[in-house]
Each structure stands twice: as structure tokens, then as C-alpha cells.
Amino acid sequence: QVQLVESGGGLVQPGESLRLSCAASGTSGSFFNMGWYRQAPGKQRELVASISSGTNTNYANSVKGRFTISFDNAKNTVSLQMNSLKPEDTAVYYCRALGRRYLGGVDDYWGRGTQVTVSS
């Protein structure tokens, strides 16, 4: 069965950087979309960044210019480089992957999340 495992979260001070990784296992095919979502305390889960068809990317306005999403085909891993972190970036970050089924429809997978805390 497909599993998504996030890593790289932690506690940093404002202005510092973190790199999150999400490794996919248990799949024989490729995902057509992978992305990162985050959920802060008392807030709804929101899209941070996603990558589709290998190269197309999109970002939330709040992180554009600071975060970069990338995909490693060999390792089947999606990463999120987060620079110039701000306190408002504090949240649990979740990895999401979408895969097409042979007989139609889409599989929607989620990781368990990794905590990112930005505080002085």
C-alpha cells in the first residue's frame, strides 16, 4: 500500500531555512500531482505548494519567492525548500499525492505531517 512519510521539520528562528522531504513508497506508478499543505492551530488546512506533470509548480502567495518545491524521480520524493521563514509559517506540514487509476478515478494520499515552528 502507498505510504507518504514526511521529514525535515523542526524549530528554527525567523529568517532561517528548513528543507522538508516526502518519500513515497509502495507505488508502482508515478503521481501526477504532489504537494505540500499546512495547518496552523485554529486554522483550516491550506495549500502551500504543488508540482504537477513533473515540472509545473504553483505556490500560495504568502510563500512565493521564499519556498521552492521540487521532485526527484529517482527517489520518488518531493521536497520543499523553505527560506526566510516567518513566525506565520508555523504549522503542521502535510505531504499530498494524487495518482491516476487504470480504470478511472484518482487516488488521494496524505502523509501524517511534520511540525514546523518558527519562533525567536
Side-chain angles (χ1 to χ4, degrees):
Q1 189 65 33
V2 172
Q3 293 186 52
L4 303 178
V5 180
E6 303 99 332
S7 63
L11 172 64
V12 297
Q13 296 183 349
E16 295 184 340
S17 299
L18 279 175
R19 184 176 179 86
L20 305 182
S21 295
C22 173
S25 63
T27 178
S28 60
S30 300
F31 299 109
F32 70 89
N33 181 282
M34 297 190 75
W36 289 94
Y37 289 71
R38 68 186 182 187
Q39 187 166 21
K43 303 292 182 63
Q44 293 185 344
R45 189 172 299 186
E46 64 175 349
L47 174 69
V48 178
S50 66
I51 183 166
S52 301
S53 300
T55 57
N56 294 333
T57 60
N58 72 299
Y59 299 89
N61 289 333
S62 60
V63 308
K64 195 169 186 177
R66 299 187 297 122
F67 291 10
T68 303
I69 189 170
S70 61
F71 180 71
D72 187 330
N73 287 316
K75 298 181 179 180
N76 207 23
T77 297
V78 64
S79 298
L80 184 69
Q81 179 66 44
M82 305 185 294
N83 298 328
S84 302
L85 283 162
K86 304 175 180 179
E88 50 263 45
D89 294 319
T90 296
V92 177
Y93 284 69
Y94 298 90
C95 178
R96 186 193 191 186
L98 300 177
R100 293 190 175 91
R101 300 174 66 89
Y102 291 119
L103 299 179
V106 175
D107 287 326
D108 189 355
Y109 303 102
W110 290 86
R112 293 184 177 182
T114 184
Q115 177 71 48
V116 172
T117 302
V118 185
S119 177
S120 59

